[in-house]
Amino acid sequence: MARVTESMLLELAGQVGAKLLARKETIAVAESCTGGYAAQILTALPGSSAWFDRGFVVYTNTAKQEILQVSEHILAVYGAVSQEAARAMAVGALARSHADRAFAITGIAGPDGGIPEKPVGTVFFAWVWRDGRYLGKTACFSGDRRAIRRQAVVYALQGCL
């Protein structure tokens, strides 16, 4: 992925906002490795209150459990960095909001924490809708911590289009 700039992120967020506004939908986000960066980009736009409901930053397993009701079983069996955890986070964000859809991001931004099965740069994504639709994807990004986090936000926002 090419170097991600702030203007690229804002342009993409504007596209997401326009789509949500046209559909009269709102969105909630649940973030771990991006630490609220997706919510910050989405809410940097004037008028975002018309389509952005809320964001949850759940960095620890305890936060995932307490705030989004991610089950201890999912965290113990699959880990916080897994498709199962991403889905549970997105479902939890949707359940604890008034949004029509939600997405979640969980991964390993580095520089440490990677394992052979999940190297640094591995990020899991989930998108869920009130009507029960679900989409889950996994990506592996390269670069330093900042680059990985930016690429993860781009990927999550592209999944909203």
Side-chain angles (χ1 to χ4, degrees), residues 20-140:
L20 291 166
L21 199 57
R23 292 185 175 187
K24 297 182 176 157
E25 293 180 338
T26 57
I27 196 165
V29 302
E31 301 180 70
S32 186
C33 67
T34 49
Y37 195 21
Q40 187 275 320
I41 290 298
L42 289 167
T43 59
L45 302 172
S48 57
S49 61
W51 45 266
F52 184 87
D53 184 63
R54 66 191 73 187
F56 301 91
V57 178
V58 289
Y59 213 70
T60 66
N61 285 357
T62 301
K64 289 173 182 67
Q65 291 175 293
E66 290 177 356
I67 297 169
L68 298 179
Q69 301 299 299
V70 174
S71 76
E72 185 176 342
H73 173 79
I74 286 174
L75 297 172
V77 173
Y78 303 103
V81 178
S82 65
Q83 191 53 240
E84 293 81 4
R87 184 175 189 165
M89 288 168 59
V91 167
L94 197 58
R96 284 151 194 79
S97 72
H98 299 283
D100 301 294
R101 58 167 67 185
F103 70 78
I105 307 169
T106 184
I108 305 166
D112 302 316
I115 58 174
E117 302 82 35
K118 298 176 189 174
V120 169
T122 303
V123 183
F124 293 89
F125 302 87
W127 297 265
V128 297
W129 291 260
R130 285 259 175 230
D131 65 10
R133 285 179 291 153
Y134 158 75
L135 176 64
K137 292 192 176 183
T138 306
C140 193

